[in-house]
Amino acid sequence: MKGVFVVALIAFAFLMAAKLASGSHDYQDALTKAVLFFEGQRSGFLPQDQRMSWRSNSGLSNGWTYNADLVGGYYDAGDNIKFGFPMAFTTTMLAWSVLEFGAIMPPNELRNAMLAIRWATDYLLKTVSQPNRIFVQVGDPRSDHDCWERPEDMDTARTVYAVDAPNAASDVAGETAAALAASSLVFWSTDPGYAETLLRNAISAFQFADNYRGAYSDNANVKYSACPYYCDFDGYQDELLWGAAWLRRATKDDNFLNYLQTNGKTLGADDNINEFGWDNKHAGLNVLVSKEVLEGNLYSLESFKASADSFMCTLIPESPSSHIEYTPGGLLFRPGGSNLQHATSISFLELVYANYLDHTSQSLNCGNVVVSAQTLRQHAKRQVDYILGDNPMGLSYMVGYSNYYPQRIHHRGSSLPSIKDHPQFIACKEGSTYYNSTDPNPNVLVGAIVGGPGEDDVYVDNRDDFRKSEPTTYINAPFIGVLAYFAANPNFS
């Protein structure tokens, strides 16, 4: 029966594809929903104005084993763990989205995006509240993943993982510094006192990162719980440069400029690593620093701009240096799970770099191909439209957008009855009934972007295929800025 359902689903999808591909998208609606998603990921005491009403309070005793308040923050994906590394990156990207595109966001969505940032920064401040210590994770992933349980019912071990000096956590501390520094700029005009607190703690987190160099997941007390989920696979050096770059932007302090100039080469800034995500900041770092080169004529950082140019050229199929893989339907694709994280983050970088080029009336030379800001935006738009439904499946990969989207996402809270509809406790293994069900999830996690299709553009709506059906905060975060741009420029083509 399940096979018949899948075949019917695929057949229906292809029938829908032509219809959806011909229509334009409501980027404003998609933006509203993409921001709303973060309310479904909240941990802690939920506010009175919580719009995702099927969620309730959870994780209210987090941190007690360290005599610390670690209540709040976000669950990273479809489980009930708070991983500091991807949460900090999510926060940085939310803040960068607002910094680059907040001025063109509708006021209500700007407010909601800032609330989403503050929900994260309030928690991140708690993770660096004790001297010479950073809290990097709350929750034991093995016991959590052994259960299918609502966050409100959570009774698995809420183990707290901390790194104390002189042990190293340069990656998490460096990303936390970036997140707090970027967010300080977001709040500077509306809440300068809070912005100052964020910046002060960003500097402190960066000092911890730089003074005790190394990867957090190399610590024995962390390794077997952070890995294989959010190990530092690509080294901590990029987070040091990333944190310094954001502190330079937030403070204008030449000490951080000198840090980039002095340490850039030794920490791998010249490595043309064409990735950007929670574990690898190289492409984002180069784009961020290029702003000072392009708009401030700071040629001592020219090597960062050269790397950013090189990265952009790899994305353009017509470029002689193009080597990024695409699906037959046109989706940027990298092997591994949660592929849409690459599509959203790289589209974001294209739009940001396009703005920087536009501000200085420049373009890129990719061999014999001239790439304009317009070209970068067109490339980004193709990724956005693919995600929203212009794909061979005719499927929106954003839950709740259009009439045809994934119904069985890999997400505990969404797939189990709401505590408001079913107030009785649902124990660890009792949730398996809902996990194994072929019924649609009872709670719609509006705005969630799932991991996405395979390299053949095929997506089967299966809850157990977490690589394709699980949403994450770091897929959505850069998409906020992307959607803000196209919501303000709906007729761009």
PDB file of all heavy atoms in Angstrom, residues 324-355:
ATOM      1  N   ILE A 324      30.440  23.553  -9.568  1.00  0.00           N
ATOM      2  CA  ILE A 324      29.369  23.199  -8.645  1.00  0.00           C
ATOM      3  C   ILE A 324      28.378  22.287  -9.363  1.00  0.00           C
ATOM      4  O   ILE A 324      28.019  22.502 -10.518  1.00  0.00           O
ATOM      5  CB  ILE A 324      28.646  24.467  -8.137  1.00  0.00           C
ATOM      6  CG1 ILE A 324      29.635  25.387  -7.406  1.00  0.00           C
ATOM      7  CG2 ILE A 324      27.494  24.095  -7.220  1.00  0.00           C
ATOM      8  CD1 ILE A 324      30.231  24.804  -6.145  1.00  0.00           C
ATOM      9  N   GLU A 325      27.934  21.271  -8.673  1.00  0.00           N
ATOM     10  CA  GLU A 325      27.013  20.297  -9.256  1.00  0.00           C
ATOM     11  C   GLU A 325      25.563  20.792  -9.136  1.00  0.00           C
ATOM     12  O   GLU A 325      25.184  21.397  -8.126  1.00  0.00           O
ATOM     13  CB  GLU A 325      27.164  18.953  -8.528  1.00  0.00           C
ATOM     14  CG  GLU A 325      26.305  17.833  -9.083  1.00  0.00           C
ATOM     15  CD  GLU A 325      26.490  16.533  -8.320  1.00  0.00           C
ATOM     16  OE1 GLU A 325      27.448  16.429  -7.514  1.00  0.00           O
ATOM     17  OE2 GLU A 325      25.669  15.616  -8.519  1.00  0.00           O
ATOM     18  N   TYR A 326      24.787  20.548 -10.161  1.00  0.00           N
ATOM     19  CA  TYR A 326      23.364  20.883 -10.154  1.00  0.00           C
ATOM     20  C   TYR A 326      22.548  19.643 -10.527  1.00  0.00           C
ATOM     21  O   TYR A 326      23.004  18.787 -11.280  1.00  0.00           O
ATOM     22  CB  TYR A 326      23.050  22.014 -11.152  1.00  0.00           C
ATOM     23  CG  TYR A 326      23.670  23.331 -10.751  1.00  0.00           C
ATOM     24  CD1 TYR A 326      24.958  23.663 -11.139  1.00  0.00           C
ATOM     25  CD2 TYR A 326      22.971  24.236  -9.958  1.00  0.00           C
ATOM     26  CE1 TYR A 326      25.545  24.859 -10.760  1.00  0.00           C
ATOM     27  CE2 TYR A 326      23.539  25.437  -9.570  1.00  0.00           C
ATOM     28  CZ  TYR A 326      24.829  25.749  -9.975  1.00  0.00           C
ATOM     29  OH  TYR A 326      25.411  26.928  -9.572  1.00  0.00           O
ATOM     30  N   THR A 327      21.338  19.561 -10.001  1.00  0.00           N
ATOM     31  CA  THR A 327      20.425  18.484 -10.397  1.00  0.00           C
ATOM     32  C   THR A 327      19.905  18.786 -11.794  1.00  0.00           C
ATOM     33  O   THR A 327      20.002  19.920 -12.286  1.00  0.00           O
ATOM     34  CB  THR A 327      19.236  18.390  -9.428  1.00  0.00           C
ATOM     35  OG1 THR A 327      18.419  19.570  -9.581  1.00  0.00           O
ATOM     36  CG2 THR A 327      19.692  18.269  -7.978  1.00  0.00           C
ATOM     37  N   PRO A 328      19.301  17.788 -12.463  1.00  0.00           N
ATOM     38  CA  PRO A 328      18.716  18.065 -13.785  1.00  0.00           C
ATOM     39  C   PRO A 328      17.689  19.192 -13.758  1.00  0.00           C
ATOM     40  O   PRO A 328      17.523  19.918 -14.740  1.00  0.00           O
ATOM     41  CB  PRO A 328      18.070  16.730 -14.159  1.00  0.00           C
ATOM     42  CG  PRO A 328      18.867  15.703 -13.413  1.00  0.00           C
ATOM     43  CD  PRO A 328      19.243  16.362 -12.115  1.00  0.00           C
ATOM     44  N   GLY A 329      17.022  19.354 -12.607  1.00  0.00           N
ATOM     45  CA  GLY A 329      16.025  20.415 -12.486  1.00  0.00           C
ATOM     46  C   GLY A 329      16.600  21.771 -12.123  1.00  0.00           C
ATOM     47  O   GLY A 329      15.864  22.761 -12.047  1.00  0.00           O
ATOM     48  N   GLY A 330      17.928  21.834 -11.887  1.00  0.00           N
ATOM     49  CA  GLY A 330      18.583  23.124 -11.657  1.00  0.00           C
ATOM     50  C   GLY A 330      18.921  23.466 -10.221  1.00  0.00           C
ATOM     51  O   GLY A 330      19.365  24.577  -9.933  1.00  0.00           O
ATOM     52  N   LEU A 331      18.744  22.531  -9.294  1.00  0.00           N
ATOM     53  CA  LEU A 331      19.048  22.805  -7.894  1.00  0.00           C
ATOM     54  C   LEU A 331      20.534  22.597  -7.622  1.00  0.00           C
ATOM     55  O   LEU A 331      21.105  21.559  -7.972  1.00  0.00           O
ATOM     56  CB  LEU A 331      18.242  21.881  -6.980  1.00  0.00           C
ATOM     57  CG  LEU A 331      18.520  21.987  -5.472  1.00  0.00           C
ATOM     58  CD1 LEU A 331      18.081  23.351  -4.939  1.00  0.00           C
ATOM     59  CD2 LEU A 331      17.815  20.867  -4.715  1.00  0.00           C
ATOM     60  N   LEU A 332      21.151  23.556  -6.985  1.00  0.00           N
ATOM     61  CA  LEU A 332      22.525  23.397  -6.525  1.00  0.00           C
ATOM     62  C   LEU A 332      22.579  22.198  -5.588  1.00  0.00           C
ATOM     63  O   LEU A 332      21.761  22.083  -4.674  1.00  0.00           O
ATOM     64  CB  LEU A 332      22.947  24.678  -5.797  1.00  0.00           C
ATOM     65  CG  LEU A 332      24.382  24.854  -5.353  1.00  0.00           C
ATOM     66  CD1 LEU A 332      24.713  26.346  -5.340  1.00  0.00           C
ATOM     67  CD2 LEU A 332      24.611  24.277  -3.962  1.00  0.00           C
ATOM     68  N   PHE A 333      23.522  21.310  -5.820  1.00  0.00           N
ATOM     69  CA  PHE A 333      23.514  20.064  -5.060  1.00  0.00           C
ATOM     70  C   PHE A 333      24.898  19.693  -4.556  1.00  0.00           C
ATOM     71  O   PHE A 333      25.886  19.771  -5.274  1.00  0.00           O
ATOM     72  CB  PHE A 333      22.986  18.907  -5.929  1.00  0.00           C
ATOM     73  CG  PHE A 333      22.782  17.632  -5.152  1.00  0.00           C
ATOM     74  CD1 PHE A 333      21.620  17.429  -4.427  1.00  0.00           C
ATOM     75  CD2 PHE A 333      23.777  16.658  -5.108  1.00  0.00           C
ATOM     76  CE1 PHE A 333      21.437  16.267  -3.687  1.00  0.00           C
ATOM     77  CE2 PHE A 333      23.601  15.490  -4.379  1.00  0.00           C
ATOM     78  CZ  PHE A 333      22.433  15.304  -3.660  1.00  0.00           C
ATOM     79  N   ARG A 334      24.939  19.292  -3.269  1.00  0.00           N
ATOM     80  CA  ARG A 334      26.144  18.727  -2.669  1.00  0.00           C
ATOM     81  C   ARG A 334      25.761  17.415  -1.996  1.00  0.00           C
ATOM     82  O   ARG A 334      24.697  17.320  -1.376  1.00  0.00           O
ATOM     83  CB  ARG A 334      26.752  19.679  -1.643  1.00  0.00           C
ATOM     84  CG  ARG A 334      27.397  20.913  -2.254  1.00  0.00           C
ATOM     85  CD  ARG A 334      28.101  21.742  -1.184  1.00  0.00           C
ATOM     86  NE  ARG A 334      28.753  22.901  -1.735  1.00  0.00           N
ATOM     87  CZ  ARG A 334      29.950  22.905  -2.303  1.00  0.00           C
ATOM     88  NH1 ARG A 334      30.621  21.762  -2.400  1.00  0.00           N
ATOM     89  NH2 ARG A 334      30.494  24.012  -2.767  1.00  0.00           N
ATOM     90  N   PRO A 335      26.610  16.417  -2.083  1.00  0.00           N
ATOM     91  CA  PRO A 335      26.311  15.143  -1.425  1.00  0.00           C
ATOM     92  C   PRO A 335      26.169  15.314   0.079  1.00  0.00           C
ATOM     93  O   PRO A 335      26.761  16.222   0.677  1.00  0.00           O
ATOM     94  CB  PRO A 335      27.528  14.275  -1.779  1.00  0.00           C
ATOM     95  CG  PRO A 335      28.120  14.905  -3.001  1.00  0.00           C
ATOM     96  CD  PRO A 335      27.869  16.374  -2.853  1.00  0.00           C
ATOM     97  N   GLY A 336      25.411  14.435   0.695  1.00  0.00           N
ATOM     98  CA  GLY A 336      25.171  14.527   2.131  1.00  0.00           C
ATOM     99  C   GLY A 336      23.730  14.910   2.400  1.00  0.00           C
ATOM    100  O   GLY A 336      22.933  15.090   1.480  1.00  0.00           O
ATOM    101  N   GLY A 337      23.384  15.047   3.658  1.00  0.00           N
ATOM    102  CA  GLY A 337      22.012  15.357   4.021  1.00  0.00           C
ATOM    103  C   GLY A 337      21.711  16.839   4.004  1.00  0.00           C
ATOM    104  O   GLY A 337      22.599  17.684   3.895  1.00  0.00           O
ATOM    105  N   SER A 338      20.419  17.137   4.117  1.00  0.00           N
ATOM    106  CA  SER A 338      19.948  18.533   4.216  1.00  0.00           C
ATOM    107  C   SER A 338      20.533  19.409   3.120  1.00  0.00           C
ATOM    108  O   SER A 338      21.089  20.479   3.384  1.00  0.00           O
ATOM    109  CB  SER A 338      20.281  19.112   5.596  1.00  0.00           C
ATOM    110  OG  SER A 338      19.691  18.357   6.623  1.00  0.00           O
ATOM    111  N   ASN A 339      20.392  18.979   1.887  1.00  0.00           N
ATOM    112  CA  ASN A 339      21.032  19.695   0.782  1.00  0.00           C
ATOM    113  C   ASN A 339      20.554  21.131   0.644  1.00  0.00           C
ATOM    114  O   ASN A 339      21.323  21.999   0.211  1.00  0.00           O
ATOM    115  CB  ASN A 339      20.797  18.961  -0.534  1.00  0.00           C
ATOM    116  CG  ASN A 339      21.442  19.682  -1.694  1.00  0.00           C
ATOM    117  OD1 ASN A 339      22.650  19.807  -1.759  1.00  0.00           O
ATOM    118  ND2 ASN A 339      20.633  20.212  -2.593  1.00  0.00           N
ATOM    119  N   LEU A 340      19.311  21.421   1.002  1.00  0.00           N
ATOM    120  CA  LEU A 340      18.815  22.783   0.788  1.00  0.00           C
ATOM    121  C   LEU A 340      19.531  23.817   1.641  1.00  0.00           C
ATOM    122  O   LEU A 340      19.436  25.015   1.370  1.00  0.00           O
ATOM    123  CB  LEU A 340      17.298  22.846   1.011  1.00  0.00           C
ATOM    124  CG  LEU A 340      16.458  22.152  -0.076  1.00  0.00           C
ATOM    125  CD1 LEU A 340      14.970  22.364   0.179  1.00  0.00           C
ATOM    126  CD2 LEU A 340      16.839  22.613  -1.477  1.00  0.00           C
ATOM    127  N   GLN A 341      20.286  23.372   2.652  1.00  0.00           N
ATOM    128  CA  GLN A 341      21.102  24.339   3.396  1.00  0.00           C
ATOM    129  C   GLN A 341      22.108  25.007   2.468  1.00  0.00           C
ATOM    130  O   GLN A 341      22.447  26.189   2.657  1.00  0.00           O
ATOM    131  CB  GLN A 341      21.827  23.666   4.564  1.00  0.00           C
ATOM    132  CG  GLN A 341      22.881  22.651   4.161  1.00  0.00           C
ATOM    133  CD  GLN A 341      23.571  22.015   5.347  1.00  0.00           C
ATOM    134  OE1 GLN A 341      24.197  22.700   6.146  1.00  0.00           O
ATOM    135  NE2 GLN A 341      23.429  20.705   5.482  1.00  0.00           N
ATOM    136  N   HIS A 342      22.620  24.276   1.483  1.00  0.00           N
ATOM    137  CA  HIS A 342      23.583  24.858   0.548  1.00  0.00           C
ATOM    138  C   HIS A 342      22.888  25.836  -0.398  1.00  0.00           C
ATOM    139  O   HIS A 342      23.420  26.912  -0.691  1.00  0.00           O
ATOM    140  CB  HIS A 342      24.282  23.754  -0.240  1.00  0.00           C
ATOM    141  CG  HIS A 342      24.918  22.710   0.613  1.00  0.00           C
ATOM    142  ND1 HIS A 342      25.933  22.987   1.513  1.00  0.00           N
ATOM    143  CD2 HIS A 342      24.668  21.379   0.754  1.00  0.00           C
ATOM    144  CE1 HIS A 342      26.292  21.886   2.145  1.00  0.00           C
ATOM    145  NE2 HIS A 342      25.538  20.900   1.709  1.00  0.00           N
ATOM    146  N   ALA A 343      21.714  25.464  -0.849  1.00  0.00           N
ATOM    147  CA  ALA A 343      20.977  26.341  -1.768  1.00  0.00           C
ATOM    148  C   ALA A 343      20.601  27.660  -1.101  1.00  0.00           C
ATOM    149  O   ALA A 343      20.715  28.729  -1.712  1.00  0.00           O
ATOM    150  CB  ALA A 343      19.733  25.631  -2.284  1.00  0.00           C
ATOM    151  N   THR A 344      20.159  27.610   0.152  1.00  0.00           N
ATOM    152  CA  THR A 344      19.738  28.853   0.816  1.00  0.00           C
ATOM    153  C   THR A 344      20.936  29.713   1.202  1.00  0.00           C
ATOM    154  O   THR A 344      20.921  30.930   1.017  1.00  0.00           O
ATOM    155  CB  THR A 344      18.878  28.571   2.059  1.00  0.00           C
ATOM    156  OG1 THR A 344      19.626  27.826   3.026  1.00  0.00           O
ATOM    157  CG2 THR A 344      17.609  27.823   1.701  1.00  0.00           C
ATOM    158  N   SER A 345      21.992  29.105   1.718  1.00  0.00           N
ATOM    159  CA  SER A 345      23.132  29.901   2.182  1.00  0.00           C
ATOM    160  C   SER A 345      23.905  30.499   1.012  1.00  0.00           C
ATOM    161  O   SER A 345      24.345  31.662   1.070  1.00  0.00           O
ATOM    162  CB  SER A 345      24.056  29.065   3.066  1.00  0.00           C
ATOM    163  OG  SER A 345      24.604  27.971   2.362  1.00  0.00           O
ATOM    164  N   ILE A 346      24.070  29.734  -0.049  1.00  0.00           N
ATOM    165  CA  ILE A 346      24.820  30.252  -1.194  1.00  0.00           C
ATOM    166  C   ILE A 346      24.004  31.303  -1.950  1.00  0.00           C
ATOM    167  O   ILE A 346      24.552  32.308  -2.420  1.00  0.00           O
ATOM    168  CB  ILE A 346      25.275  29.087  -2.088  1.00  0.00           C
ATOM    169  CG1 ILE A 346      26.402  28.322  -1.363  1.00  0.00           C
ATOM    170  CG2 ILE A 346      25.738  29.582  -3.454  1.00  0.00           C
ATOM    171  CD1 ILE A 346      26.858  27.062  -2.051  1.00  0.00           C
ATOM    172  N   SER A 347      22.696  31.118  -2.054  1.00  0.00           N
ATOM    173  CA  SER A 347      21.851  32.161  -2.653  1.00  0.00           C
ATOM    174  C   SER A 347      21.960  33.458  -1.872  1.00  0.00           C
ATOM    175  O   SER A 347      21.996  34.555  -2.456  1.00  0.00           O
ATOM    176  CB  SER A 347      20.391  31.692  -2.696  1.00  0.00           C
ATOM    177  OG  SER A 347      20.239  30.569  -3.524  1.00  0.00           O
ATOM    178  N   PHE A 348      22.014  33.336  -0.558  1.00  0.00           N
ATOM    179  CA  PHE A 348      22.179  34.521   0.286  1.00  0.00           C
ATOM    180  C   PHE A 348      23.480  35.240  -0.050  1.00  0.00           C
ATOM    181  O   PHE A 348      23.506  36.469  -0.235  1.00  0.00           O
ATOM    182  CB  PHE A 348      22.149  34.120   1.766  1.00  0.00           C
ATOM    183  CG  PHE A 348      22.408  35.252   2.705  1.00  0.00           C
ATOM    184  CD1 PHE A 348      21.379  36.074   3.139  1.00  0.00           C
ATOM    185  CD2 PHE A 348      23.695  35.536   3.156  1.00  0.00           C
ATOM    186  CE1 PHE A 348      21.618  37.145   4.002  1.00  0.00           C
ATOM    187  CE2 PHE A 348      23.946  36.594   4.021  1.00  0.00           C
ATOM    188  CZ  PHE A 348      22.901  37.401   4.433  1.00  0.00           C
ATOM    189  N   LEU A 349      24.580  34.496  -0.131  1.00  0.00           N
ATOM    190  CA  LEU A 349      25.868  35.126  -0.436  1.00  0.00           C
ATOM    191  C   LEU A 349      25.841  35.794  -1.807  1.00  0.00           C
ATOM    192  O   LEU A 349      26.419  36.875  -1.989  1.00  0.00           O
ATOM    193  CB  LEU A 349      26.990  34.094  -0.381  1.00  0.00           C
ATOM    194  CG  LEU A 349      27.326  33.503   0.994  1.00  0.00           C
ATOM    195  CD1 LEU A 349      28.515  32.560   0.878  1.00  0.00           C
ATOM    196  CD2 LEU A 349      27.611  34.594   2.028  1.00  0.00           C
ATOM    197  N   GLU A 350      25.180  35.185  -2.766  1.00  0.00           N
ATOM    198  CA  GLU A 350      25.096  35.791  -4.098  1.00  0.00           C
ATOM    199  C   GLU A 350      24.386  37.139  -4.037  1.00  0.00           C
ATOM    200  O   GLU A 350      24.828  38.115  -4.668  1.00  0.00           O
ATOM    201  CB  GLU A 350      24.357  34.851  -5.051  1.00  0.00           C
ATOM    202  CG  GLU A 350      25.150  33.627  -5.448  1.00  0.00           C
ATOM    203  CD  GLU A 350      24.400  32.739  -6.425  1.00  0.00           C
ATOM    204  OE1 GLU A 350      23.306  32.260  -6.078  1.00  0.00           O
ATOM    205  OE2 GLU A 350      24.906  32.537  -7.537  1.00  0.00           O
ATOM    206  N   LEU A 351      23.297  37.213  -3.309  1.00  0.00           N
ATOM    207  CA  LEU A 351      22.550  38.470  -3.224  1.00  0.00           C
ATOM    208  C   LEU A 351      23.333  39.543  -2.468  1.00  0.00           C
ATOM    209  O   LEU A 351      23.321  40.718  -2.854  1.00  0.00           O
ATOM    210  CB  LEU A 351      21.197  38.233  -2.547  1.00  0.00           C
ATOM    211  CG  LEU A 351      20.194  37.385  -3.319  1.00  0.00           C
ATOM    212  CD1 LEU A 351      18.898  37.260  -2.542  1.00  0.00           C
ATOM    213  CD2 LEU A 351      19.923  37.968  -4.704  1.00  0.00           C
ATOM    214  N   VAL A 352      24.011  39.138  -1.410  1.00  0.00           N
ATOM    215  CA  VAL A 352      24.826  40.103  -0.655  1.00  0.00           C
ATOM    216  C   VAL A 352      25.960  40.634  -1.527  1.00  0.00           C
ATOM    217  O   VAL A 352      26.198  41.850  -1.598  1.00  0.00           O
ATOM    218  CB  VAL A 352      25.381  39.450   0.625  1.00  0.00           C
ATOM    219  CG1 VAL A 352      26.419  40.358   1.289  1.00  0.00           C
ATOM    220  CG2 VAL A 352      24.252  39.154   1.602  1.00  0.00           C
ATOM    221  N   TYR A 353      26.641  39.715  -2.209  1.00  0.00           N
ATOM    222  CA  TYR A 353      27.770  40.146  -3.043  1.00  0.00           C
ATOM    223  C   TYR A 353      27.280  41.000  -4.205  1.00  0.00           C
ATOM    224  O   TYR A 353      27.947  41.973  -4.606  1.00  0.00           O
ATOM    225  CB  TYR A 353      28.539  38.936  -3.551  1.00  0.00           C
ATOM    226  CG  TYR A 353      29.995  39.243  -3.841  1.00  0.00           C
ATOM    227  CD1 TYR A 353      30.821  39.755  -2.843  1.00  0.00           C
ATOM    228  CD2 TYR A 353      30.540  39.020  -5.095  1.00  0.00           C
ATOM    229  CE1 TYR A 353      32.153  40.036  -3.093  1.00  0.00           C
ATOM    230  CE2 TYR A 353      31.879  39.297  -5.360  1.00  0.00           C
ATOM    231  CZ  TYR A 353      32.679  39.807  -4.350  1.00  0.00           C
ATOM    232  OH  TYR A 353      34.000  40.086  -4.595  1.00  0.00           O
ATOM    233  N   ALA A 354      26.113  40.669  -4.734  1.00  0.00           N
ATOM    234  CA  ALA A 354      25.531  41.488  -5.796  1.00  0.00           C
ATOM    235  C   ALA A 354      25.302  42.914  -5.315  1.00  0.00           C
ATOM    236  O   ALA A 354      25.575  43.886  -6.042  1.00  0.00           O
ATOM    237  CB  ALA A 354      24.219  40.871  -6.282  1.00  0.00           C
ATOM    238  N   ASN A 355      24.821  43.058  -4.096  1.00  0.00           N
ATOM    239  CA  ASN A 355      24.626  44.394  -3.536  1.00  0.00           C
ATOM    240  C   ASN A 355      25.949  45.141  -3.413  1.00  0.00           C
ATOM    241  O   ASN A 355      26.045  46.331  -3.731  1.00  0.00           O
ATOM    242  CB  ASN A 355      23.954  44.307  -2.163  1.00  0.00           C
ATOM    243  CG  ASN A 355      22.442  44.145  -2.264  1.00  0.00           C
ATOM    244  OD1 ASN A 355      21.880  44.170  -3.357  1.00  0.00           O
ATOM    245  ND2 ASN A 355      21.786  43.969  -1.134  1.00  0.00           N
TER     246      ASN A 355
END
